Amino acid sequence: MSNTQNLFNKVWDLHAVKTLESGQDQLLIGLHLIHEVTSPQAFEMLRDRGLKVLFPERTIATVDHIVPTQNQARPFEDNLAEQMMSAIEKNCAEFGVTLLDVSDDRQGIVHVVGPEQGLTQPGMTIVCGDSHTSTHGAFGSIALGIGTSQVAHVLATQTMALGRPKVRQVKVNGELGPGVTAKDVTLYIIRKLGVQGGVGYAYEYAGDVFDRMTMEERMTVCNMSIEGGARCGYINPDQTTVDYLRGRPHAPQGEAFEKAAEWWLSLASGPDAEFDDVVEFDAADIEPTVTWGITPAQSVGVSESLPAVSSYPADEQTLIKEAYRYMELEENQPIKGQKIDVAFIGSCTNSRISDLREAAKVVEGRHVAEHVKALVVPGSQLVRKQAIEEGLDKIFIEAGFEWREAGCSMCLAMNPDKLVGNQLCASSSNRNFKGRQGSPTGRTLLMSPTMVAAAAVSGCVTDVRELSGAATA
């Protein structure tokens, strides 16, 4: 491997089987994660052609999108959800694929489960029929969301055809201020580069801000890469990565782990690595961030007012006006003080134990505003168990939150957790598209878990830094 190669190109070349006539590369896929929504049709494609899953040991299934987070008794009340659950149970049994279902204490959101089980490792190629597969890039892997037909292709061949994207290094250096989290960093990057800014690129996140982040914070950043248009995002493996993976169920053990760790670290982009583009940001410019519109790029710092329509290029102003109409907001109004109806802490972006710990610090000794419905949904059964062991469930319940079972929940409209009418939700999830949270007129404000917690107890968008004892670094 050349000293001028960045990690992305190193890993790509290591997995390239051959270059196809189309100009695409056929890549070997190291890990295939599947779930109940995008896999049923893929398995049917295999049956129709008389094919088997080529490497079932490289395929892991879990259930998350349609799983109820309150009543999980079978059959599920939602008939379609029950059909999807039955289908993945049947398919995994028939094709020899390991399934982490609701009766398995390893079950949870696919992008939470992979890392916590040690399935996600540096230098891998990872795919899943889900947009936010980029989460796994936090470990220094190439992690890509794919479509249903591609899911079938990977099941059958353990490869897929891909065009190599360019690589952009996104550097953030300096010190983050109090109350500024990984979620704020990624929302800021998307705001600055736009939802189309990453099209045709993989993002390498670099700089001392990412170097100092925990693995769970890095996962939050990489998770949102797709929202900025990037094909994927990654962070170079370092000692933080190694320490996180040590001892996890599917990570190498003993001497094999030490050898693996040495190789993982060798994959990192070196000082002479070349990139197709480099952008730099100053950490001091980032504050707690809130989206106000219908794309993740439409955001402001919590101390800012909403932008004037005239501040946008002429060809973007129609979308901005549409966003203001849909969100029932007005240009130049402050986002701080905006009344909310629902507060949601969860999703593959922000439902890990560190997210719950920080949110609990904000709500402890406080209570959810009378008019607000607030819920906390752990990202996996293991996260939920750990939170209970630490007493976090009691803190949330005493504060007036609903404490739920693991699942995707209110991030998307595929389970019973949905907005009603034009409710406005402070959400720690990743998408604020029209209707995303279950109501065609429901409205979403994306923010960090601590900002959601602050909004829940205040009843409106609040600067978490102003709540006594709630500011976090």
Side-chain angles (χ1 to χ4, degrees):
M1 294 183 286
S2 166
N3 290 336
T4 60
Q5 275 191 309
N6 53 59
L7 177 142
F8 183 89
N9 286 323
K10 290 178 185 178
V11 176
W12 185 283
D13 289 346
L14 286 168
H15 291 81
V17 178
K18 65 178 180 179
T19 300
L20 306 173
E21 290 183 5
S22 64
Q24 294 179 306
D25 288 336
Q26 183 184 27
L27 288 192
L28 176 69
I29 302 304
L31 174 65
H32 189 191
L33 300 168
I34 63 174
H35 58 82
E36 75 279 14
V37 175
T38 54
S39 66
Q41 305 93 324
F43 280 112
E44 282 303 315
M45 292 178 191
L46 265 61
R47 282 195 189 91
D48 290 344
R49 299 185 64 179
L51 300 173
K52 297 180 179 180
V53 175
L54 185 61
F55 289 109
E57 68 274 17
R58 291 186 175 271
T59 309
I60 299 288
T62 190
V63 290
D64 53 10
H65 285 60
I66 56 89
V67 173
T69 62
Q70 280 186 303
N71 179 14
Q72 295 189 338
R74 301 287 298 276
F76 293 154
E77 293 179 4
D78 184 315
N79 184 53
L80 180 58
E82 178 62 28
Q83 288 179 37
M84 287 185 177
M85 181 66 81
S86 297
I88 196 168
E89 290 170 338
K90 173 187 174 183
N91 290 331
C92 288
E94 179 180 338
F95 287 90
V97 172
T98 298
L99 171 63
L100 312 182
D101 64 14
V102 290
S103 65
D104 191 312
D105 64 8
R106 298 170 294 172
Q107 175 267 338
I109 302 174
V110 63
H111 307 312
V112 176
V113 167
E116 73 181 8
Q117 289 299 316
L119 292 160
T120 304
Q121 298 172 20
M124 297 182 78
T125 47
I126 302 172
V127 298
C128 176
D130 186 89
S131 301
H132 297 99
T133 308
S134 54
T135 306
H136 306 266
F139 291 80
S141 62
I142 296 178
L144 307 164
I146 60 176
T148 297
S149 60
Q150 292 172 310
V151 171
H153 192 87
V154 175
L155 287 172
T157 71
Q158 206 62 36
T159 68
M160 63 180 295
L162 289 162
R164 188 192 301 245
K166 296 182 287 186
V167 184
R168 171 182 288 148
Q169 189 180 55
V170 181
K171 300 176 75 172
V172 185
N173 287 304
E175 295 286 338
L176 294 175
V180 180
T181 70
K183 183 64 161 288
D184 302 306
V185 173
T186 192
L187 285 174
Y188 181 85
I189 292 169
I190 295 168
R191 175 186 178 184
K192 291 299 182 181
L193 298 181
V195 292
Q196 298 295 322
V199 172
Y201 285 96
Y203 280 178
E204 173 176 300
Y205 298 103
D208 51 31
V209 165
F210 302 114
D211 292 343
R212 290 192 295 267
M213 283 185 178
T214 66
M215 288 309 301
E216 297 196 347
E217 291 171 321
R218 294 176 185 183
M219 283 186 254
T220 293
V221 171
C222 290
N223 173 275
M224 296 286 288
S225 300
I226 189 69
E227 307 307 336
R231 190 65 180 90
C232 62
Y234 70 90
I235 294 173
N236 288 302
D238 58 9
Q239 193 58 45
T240 300
T241 319
V242 173
D243 292 344
Y244 178 93
L245 287 169
R246 189 183 302 275
R248 295 194 178 266
H250 289 272
Q253 304 297 320
E255 185 178 344
F257 181 88
E258 302 307 324
K259 290 181 178 179
E262 183 179 359
W263 183 73
W264 293 339
L265 296 175
S266 74
L267 294 170
S269 303
D272 298 322
E274 297 175 350
F275 299 91
D276 298 286
D277 188 39
V278 177
V279 294
E280 298 188 39
F281 299 107
D282 186 343
D285 294 334
I286 306 173
E287 67 171 323
T289 299
V290 182
T291 63
W292 55 265
I294 53 177
T295 80
Q298 294 171 340
S299 69
V300 290
V302 68
S303 68
E304 296 180 77
S305 296
L306 303 189
V309 174
S310 61
S311 67
Y312 287 86
D315 61 350
E316 295 181 24
Q317 291 182 12
T318 298
L319 176 62
I320 300 304
K321 291 176 183 177
E322 179 187 353
Y324 279 133
R325 282 195 301 270
Y326 182 83
M327 295 297 293
E328 301 178 26
L329 300 173
E330 297 180 0
E331 58 183 330
N332 300 316
Q333 78 171 76
I335 192 66
K336 182 180 169 184
Q338 176 62 47
K339 183 180 178 181
I340 68 161
D341 304 298
V342 179
F344 168 59
I345 297 173
S347 84
C348 60
T349 315
N350 284 122
S351 62
R352 298 173 180 85
I353 190 64
S354 58
D355 298 313
L356 304 191
R357 286 171 182 155
E358 294 305 315
K361 291 178 185 177
V362 176
V363 305
E364 189 168 18
R366 298 183 169 92
H367 199 277
V368 171
E370 187 175 349
H371 68 275
V372 173
K373 173 186 174 71
L375 58 157
V376 177
V377 185
S380 71
Q381 291 194 33
L382 291 179
V383 170
R384 189 176 191 275
K385 179 181 178 183
Q386 185 172 354
I388 291 172
E389 290 174 352
E390 296 180 15
L392 303 184
D393 61 322
K394 293 178 180 177
I395 293 174
F396 285 116
I397 292 169
E398 289 172 4
F401 281 79
E402 297 179 21
W403 176 253
R404 300 292 191 86
E405 301 288 342
C408 291
S409 185
M410 198 175 276
C411 176
L412 79 173
M414 299 189 74
N415 57 72
D417 300 339
K418 301 177 182 181
L419 295 183
V420 177
N422 70 341
Q423 284 181 323
L424 185 64
C425 179
S427 179
S428 71
S429 55
N430 42 55
R431 285 184 169 163
N432 55 341
F433 304 156
K434 291 180 179 181
R436 170 72 177 180
Q437 292 189 291
S439 166
T441 54
R443 299 168 295 156
T444 304
L445 304 177
L446 301 178
M447 58 189 79
S448 71
T450 51
M451 284 287 286
V452 174
V457 298
S458 303
C460 60
V461 175
T462 300
D463 189 338
V464 68
R465 298 170 296 185
E466 296 175 0
L467 292 184
S468 174
T472 56

mmCIF file of all heavy atoms in Angstrom, residues 18-25:
data_model
loop_
_atom_site.group_PDB
_atom_site.id
_atom_site.type_symbol
_atom_site.label_atom_id
_atom_site.label_comp_id
_atom_site.label_asym_id
_atom_site.label_seq_id
_atom_site.Cartn_x
_atom_site.Cartn_y
_atom_site.Cartn_z
ATOM 1 N N LYS A 18 -12.147 -7.573 -9.332
ATOM 2 C CA LYS A 18 -11.735 -7.226 -10.691
ATOM 3 C C LYS A 18 -12.495 -5.984 -11.144
ATOM 4 O O LYS A 18 -13.499 -5.598 -10.533
ATOM 5 C CB LYS A 18 -12.000 -8.380 -11.652
ATOM 6 C CG LYS A 18 -13.469 -8.733 -11.839
ATOM 7 C CD LYS A 18 -13.625 -9.872 -12.846
ATOM 8 C CE LYS A 18 -15.097 -10.244 -13.042
ATOM 9 N NZ LYS A 18 -15.252 -11.330 -14.033
ATOM 10 N N THR A 19 -12.007 -5.375 -12.204
ATOM 11 C CA THR A 19 -12.702 -4.248 -12.815
ATOM 12 C C THR A 19 -13.591 -4.774 -13.935
ATOM 13 O O THR A 19 -13.147 -5.544 -14.794
ATOM 14 C CB THR A 19 -11.708 -3.221 -13.384
ATOM 15 O OG1 THR A 19 -10.882 -2.745 -12.312
ATOM 16 C CG2 THR A 19 -12.436 -2.044 -14.021
ATOM 17 N N LEU A 20 -14.857 -4.384 -13.904
ATOM 18 C CA LEU A 20 -15.837 -4.875 -14.862
ATOM 19 C C LEU A 20 -15.830 -4.027 -16.137
ATOM 20 O O LEU A 20 -15.261 -2.924 -16.162
ATOM 21 C CB LEU A 20 -17.222 -4.855 -14.226
ATOM 22 C CG LEU A 20 -17.340 -5.606 -12.883
ATOM 23 C CD1 LEU A 20 -18.717 -5.374 -12.267
ATOM 24 C CD2 LEU A 20 -17.075 -7.091 -13.065
ATOM 25 N N GLU A 21 -16.448 -4.533 -17.177
ATOM 26 C CA GLU A 21 -16.508 -3.805 -18.441
ATOM 27 C C GLU A 21 -17.187 -2.451 -18.283
ATOM 28 O O GLU A 21 -16.906 -1.514 -19.020
ATOM 29 C CB GLU A 21 -17.242 -4.644 -19.495
ATOM 30 C CG GLU A 21 -16.467 -5.868 -19.971
ATOM 31 C CD GLU A 21 -17.205 -6.626 -21.063
ATOM 32 O OE1 GLU A 21 -18.276 -6.132 -21.500
ATOM 33 O OE2 GLU A 21 -16.708 -7.686 -21.477
ATOM 34 N N SER A 22 -18.082 -2.347 -17.310
ATOM 35 C CA SER A 22 -18.793 -1.086 -17.057
ATOM 36 C C SER A 22 -17.884 -0.015 -16.480
ATOM 37 O O SER A 22 -18.259 1.154 -16.402
ATOM 38 C CB SER A 22 -19.942 -1.331 -16.085
ATOM 39 O OG SER A 22 -19.435 -1.744 -14.813
ATOM 40 N N GLY A 23 -16.693 -0.421 -16.046
ATOM 41 C CA GLY A 23 -15.791 0.497 -15.366
ATOM 42 C C GLY A 23 -15.912 0.421 -13.859
ATOM 43 O O GLY A 23 -15.072 0.964 -13.127
ATOM 44 N N GLN A 24 -16.951 -0.252 -13.385
ATOM 45 C CA GLN A 24 -17.109 -0.453 -11.948
ATOM 46 C C GLN A 24 -16.176 -1.549 -11.462
ATOM 47 O O GLN A 24 -15.707 -2.377 -12.243
ATOM 48 C CB GLN A 24 -18.556 -0.829 -11.623
ATOM 49 C CG GLN A 24 -19.586 0.256 -11.894
ATOM 50 C CD GLN A 24 -20.980 -0.219 -11.571
ATOM 51 O OE1 GLN A 24 -21.434 -1.250 -12.068
ATOM 52 N NE2 GLN A 24 -21.693 0.531 -10.737
ATOM 53 N N ASP A 25 -15.941 -1.551 -10.157
ATOM 54 C CA ASP A 25 -15.160 -2.620 -9.545
ATOM 55 C C ASP A 25 -16.100 -3.610 -8.861
ATOM 56 O O ASP A 25 -17.120 -3.215 -8.278
ATOM 57 C CB ASP A 25 -14.188 -2.063 -8.499
ATOM 58 C CG ASP A 25 -13.028 -1.316 -9.122
ATOM 59 O OD1 ASP A 25 -12.705 -1.596 -10.291
ATOM 60 O OD2 ASP A 25 -12.469 -0.429 -8.452
#
